Amino acid sequence: HAGDVEVARAACGTLQSLACAADNKVPLVRDGAHTAVMAAARDHVGNVDVARAACGALWNLACDSVDNKVPLLRAGAHTAVMAAVRAHAGDVEVARAACGVLRNLANADGNKVPMFRDGAHIAVMAAARAHTGDVKVARAACIVLQNLAFAVDNRVPLFRDGAHIVVMAAARAHAGDVEVARAACGALLNLAAAAENKVPLARDGVHTAVMAV
């Protein structure tokens, strides 16, 4: 019943709920739950309820389970949620869940370079700009950028793509939130480790941003 949106909603919602249980996460991925919700999201790309449930299911599967992070990336979970956040750019629930998936996947060392190559940083930066007032999106986006910038090969291109501008804006918009402050400063710390970035980062005001934080 791949073409029936009600089936897709209910199935994705069921898998999202099952994936909340820690003991279920690895077996669900082993049995292909992630591929099912990704297929549903593709088949019903215009339906926001399916997008929310599919991204939520992938978020739960990627959360607190080291064993799932690399297989999920190999299966294209990151590109699936990036497509969902593009299709529903104005929906904050999709943005939160998609950024949550990317945050969790970016925790795995082997995922950082391929995620950058596939444009994960562009997706979270767009979400942060579209939902500038939402602290959950800001936290997740800054953490993704911080994690991606741990990889040495990512640091200069992340700067060139404006990652520092996004985290500085998030830190200003959520000046009272310590989690945003930590992640933003962490991202800037990693970017500043690249010799090529040091002068242009100062030119763009990173020093005043971290001093304000």
Side-chain angles (χ1 to χ4, degrees):
H1 303 283
D4 190 278
V5 70
E6 295 300 330
V7 171
R9 284 176 188 156
C12 289
T14 300
L15 294 171
Q16 180 181 11
S17 294
L18 293 176
C20 288
D23 289 346
N24 288 347
K25 296 179 192 295
V26 172
L28 280 169
V29 168
R30 190 182 306 129
D31 290 343
H34 59 304
T35 59
V37 298
M38 287 159 58
R42 284 193 301 270
D43 290 341
H44 303 282
V45 67
N47 189 279
V48 71
D49 291 326
V50 173
R52 289 171 181 167
C55 291
L58 293 171
W59 189 4
N60 289 340
L61 290 171
C63 185
D64 300 325
S65 177
V66 174
D67 293 335
N68 282 352
K69 296 182 193 302
V70 172
L72 283 170
L73 184 90
R74 286 181 186 149
H78 61 307
T79 57
V81 299
M82 286 157 58
V85 82
R86 283 194 300 269
H88 303 283
D91 191 85
V92 70
E93 290 185 42
V94 172
R96 287 173 182 166
C99 289
V101 174
L102 297 173
R103 178 187 65 197
N104 292 336
L105 294 180
N107 282 335
D109 289 339
N111 288 351
K112 300 180 194 304
V113 171
M115 285 182 68
F116 173 81
R117 186 173 56 241
D118 291 341
H121 62 301
I122 301 296
V124 297
M125 287 159 59
R129 292 188 187 105
H131 304 283
T132 186
D134 190 86
V135 70
K136 292 181 180 178
V137 172
R139 288 171 183 165
C142 289
I143 292 170
V144 172
L145 296 172
Q146 178 184 14
N147 287 338
L148 293 179
F150 275 116
V152 173
D153 291 345
N154 289 347
R155 288 172 179 165
V156 172
L158 276 168
F159 166 77
R160 289 177 183 157
D161 288 342
H164 61 302
I165 302 297
V166 170
V167 299
M168 287 160 59
R172 283 193 301 270
H174 302 282
D177 189 84
V178 69
E179 291 184 47
V180 173
R182 287 172 182 160
C185 287
L188 296 172
L189 172 66
N190 291 339
L191 292 173
E196 191 174 332
N197 288 348
K198 297 182 191 299
V199 171
L201 281 170
R203 188 185 308 129
D204 288 345
V206 163
H207 59 301
T208 58
V210 297
M211 287 159 60
V213 172

PDB file of all heavy atoms in Angstrom, residues 84-98:
ATOM      1  N   ALA A  84      13.494  16.104   3.111  1.00  0.00           N
ATOM      2  CA  ALA A  84      12.264  16.455   3.836  1.00  0.00           C
ATOM      3  C   ALA A  84      12.291  17.896   4.311  1.00  0.00           C
ATOM      4  O   ALA A  84      11.294  18.620   4.214  1.00  0.00           O
ATOM      5  CB  ALA A  84      12.072  15.508   5.020  1.00  0.00           C
ATOM      6  N   VAL A  85      13.439  18.337   4.825  1.00  0.00           N
ATOM      7  CA  VAL A  85      13.510  19.706   5.344  1.00  0.00           C
ATOM      8  C   VAL A  85      13.457  20.721   4.199  1.00  0.00           C
ATOM      9  O   VAL A  85      12.943  21.834   4.375  1.00  0.00           O
ATOM     10  CB  VAL A  85      14.755  19.884   6.236  1.00  0.00           C
ATOM     11  CG1 VAL A  85      16.011  20.148   5.457  1.00  0.00           C
ATOM     12  CG2 VAL A  85      14.538  20.962   7.271  1.00  0.00           C
ATOM     13  N   ARG A  86      13.945  20.323   3.017  1.00  0.00           N
ATOM     14  CA  ARG A  86      13.807  21.211   1.855  1.00  0.00           C
ATOM     15  C   ARG A  86      12.354  21.289   1.404  1.00  0.00           C
ATOM     16  O   ARG A  86      11.848  22.361   1.067  1.00  0.00           O
ATOM     17  CB  ARG A  86      14.682  20.717   0.701  1.00  0.00           C
ATOM     18  CG  ARG A  86      16.159  21.026   0.841  1.00  0.00           C
ATOM     19  CD  ARG A  86      16.893  20.808  -0.468  1.00  0.00           C
ATOM     20  NE  ARG A  86      16.787  19.432  -0.942  1.00  0.00           N
ATOM     21  CZ  ARG A  86      17.658  18.471  -0.640  1.00  0.00           C
ATOM     22  NH1 ARG A  86      18.690  18.738   0.152  1.00  0.00           N
ATOM     23  NH2 ARG A  86      17.507  17.251  -1.119  1.00  0.00           N
ATOM     24  N   ALA A  87      11.679  20.149   1.397  1.00  0.00           N
ATOM     25  CA  ALA A  87      10.290  20.108   0.926  1.00  0.00           C
ATOM     26  C   ALA A  87       9.340  20.822   1.878  1.00  0.00           C
ATOM     27  O   ALA A  87       8.284  21.299   1.462  1.00  0.00           O
ATOM     28  CB  ALA A  87       9.846  18.653   0.746  1.00  0.00           C
ATOM     29  N   HIS A  88       9.696  20.874   3.153  1.00  0.00           N
ATOM     30  CA  HIS A  88       8.829  21.484   4.177  1.00  0.00           C
ATOM     31  C   HIS A  88       9.624  22.531   4.954  1.00  0.00           C
ATOM     32  O   HIS A  88       9.674  22.514   6.195  1.00  0.00           O
ATOM     33  CB  HIS A  88       8.279  20.403   5.103  1.00  0.00           C
ATOM     34  CG  HIS A  88       7.527  19.327   4.388  1.00  0.00           C
ATOM     35  ND1 HIS A  88       6.238  19.488   3.927  1.00  0.00           N
ATOM     36  CD2 HIS A  88       7.918  18.077   3.995  1.00  0.00           C
ATOM     37  CE1 HIS A  88       5.852  18.388   3.316  1.00  0.00           C
ATOM     38  NE2 HIS A  88       6.841  17.521   3.340  1.00  0.00           N
ATOM     39  N   ALA A  89      10.213  23.449   4.222  1.00  0.00           N
ATOM     40  CA  ALA A  89      11.130  24.429   4.808  1.00  0.00           C
ATOM     41  C   ALA A  89      10.480  25.278   5.890  1.00  0.00           C
ATOM     42  O   ALA A  89      11.156  25.758   6.801  1.00  0.00           O
ATOM     43  CB  ALA A  89      11.700  25.327   3.707  1.00  0.00           C
ATOM     44  N   GLY A  90       9.171  25.458   5.819  1.00  0.00           N
ATOM     45  CA  GLY A  90       8.498  26.310   6.790  1.00  0.00           C
ATOM     46  C   GLY A  90       7.999  25.588   8.018  1.00  0.00           C
ATOM     47  O   GLY A  90       7.443  26.221   8.923  1.00  0.00           O
ATOM     48  N   ASP A  91       8.182  24.281   8.090  1.00  0.00           N
ATOM     49  CA  ASP A  91       7.639  23.504   9.207  1.00  0.00           C
ATOM     50  C   ASP A  91       8.706  23.266  10.271  1.00  0.00           C
ATOM     51  O   ASP A  91       9.699  22.577  10.020  1.00  0.00           O
ATOM     52  CB  ASP A  91       7.084  22.166   8.710  1.00  0.00           C
ATOM     53  CG  ASP A  91       6.291  21.451   9.784  1.00  0.00           C
ATOM     54  OD1 ASP A  91       5.091  21.740   9.940  1.00  0.00           O
ATOM     55  OD2 ASP A  91       6.884  20.620  10.509  1.00  0.00           O
ATOM     56  N   VAL A  92       8.492  23.797  11.437  1.00  0.00           N
ATOM     57  CA  VAL A  92       9.514  23.732  12.477  1.00  0.00           C
ATOM     58  C   VAL A  92       9.672  22.319  13.031  1.00  0.00           C
ATOM     59  O   VAL A  92      10.775  21.920  13.429  1.00  0.00           O
ATOM     60  CB  VAL A  92       9.205  24.743  13.608  1.00  0.00           C
ATOM     61  CG1 VAL A  92       7.990  24.312  14.428  1.00  0.00           C
ATOM     62  CG2 VAL A  92      10.429  24.944  14.495  1.00  0.00           C
ATOM     63  N   GLU A  93       8.599  21.518  13.028  1.00  0.00           N
ATOM     64  CA  GLU A  93       8.711  20.153  13.543  1.00  0.00           C
ATOM     65  C   GLU A  93       9.596  19.296  12.646  1.00  0.00           C
ATOM     66  O   GLU A  93      10.411  18.497  13.128  1.00  0.00           O
ATOM     67  CB  GLU A  93       7.326  19.523  13.694  1.00  0.00           C
ATOM     68  CG  GLU A  93       6.491  20.125  14.803  1.00  0.00           C
ATOM     69  CD  GLU A  93       5.175  19.386  14.986  1.00  0.00           C
ATOM     70  OE1 GLU A  93       5.172  18.146  14.948  1.00  0.00           O
ATOM     71  OE2 GLU A  93       4.142  20.054  15.157  1.00  0.00           O
ATOM     72  N   VAL A  94       9.437  19.456  11.344  1.00  0.00           N
ATOM     73  CA  VAL A  94      10.308  18.737  10.414  1.00  0.00           C
ATOM     74  C   VAL A  94      11.747  19.203  10.593  1.00  0.00           C
ATOM     75  O   VAL A  94      12.683  18.392  10.623  1.00  0.00           O
ATOM     76  CB  VAL A  94       9.847  18.933   8.952  1.00  0.00           C
ATOM     77  CG1 VAL A  94      10.867  18.342   7.977  1.00  0.00           C
ATOM     78  CG2 VAL A  94       8.479  18.292   8.729  1.00  0.00           C
ATOM     79  N   ALA A  95      11.935  20.513  10.734  1.00  0.00           N
ATOM     80  CA  ALA A  95      13.287  21.056  10.910  1.00  0.00           C
ATOM     81  C   ALA A  95      13.937  20.509  12.174  1.00  0.00           C
ATOM     82  O   ALA A  95      15.113  20.121  12.159  1.00  0.00           O
ATOM     83  CB  ALA A  95      13.239  22.580  10.953  1.00  0.00           C
ATOM     84  N   ARG A  96      13.200  20.469  13.267  1.00  0.00           N
ATOM     85  CA  ARG A  96      13.760  19.947  14.521  1.00  0.00           C
ATOM     86  C   ARG A  96      14.185  18.491  14.376  1.00  0.00           C
ATOM     87  O   ARG A  96      15.284  18.110  14.787  1.00  0.00           O
ATOM     88  CB  ARG A  96      12.729  20.053  15.648  1.00  0.00           C
ATOM     89  CG  ARG A  96      12.476  21.454  16.154  1.00  0.00           C
ATOM     90  CD  ARG A  96      11.310  21.434  17.139  1.00  0.00           C
ATOM     91  NE  ARG A  96      10.989  22.757  17.629  1.00  0.00           N
ATOM     92  CZ  ARG A  96       9.859  23.051  18.281  1.00  0.00           C
ATOM     93  NH1 ARG A  96       8.963  22.096  18.515  1.00  0.00           N
ATOM     94  NH2 ARG A  96       9.627  24.292  18.694  1.00  0.00           N
ATOM     95  N   ALA A  97      13.279  17.680  13.798  1.00  0.00           N
ATOM     96  CA  ALA A  97      13.580  16.254  13.674  1.00  0.00           C
ATOM     97  C   ALA A  97      14.722  16.009  12.698  1.00  0.00           C
ATOM     98  O   ALA A  97      15.617  15.203  12.967  1.00  0.00           O
ATOM     99  CB  ALA A  97      12.329  15.496  13.232  1.00  0.00           C
ATOM    100  N   ALA A  98      14.706  16.701  11.562  1.00  0.00           N
ATOM    101  CA  ALA A  98      15.762  16.513  10.568  1.00  0.00           C
ATOM    102  C   ALA A  98      17.119  16.927  11.131  1.00  0.00           C
ATOM    103  O   ALA A  98      18.117  16.211  10.976  1.00  0.00           O
ATOM    104  CB  ALA A  98      15.441  17.309   9.309  1.00  0.00           C
TER     105      ALA A  98
END
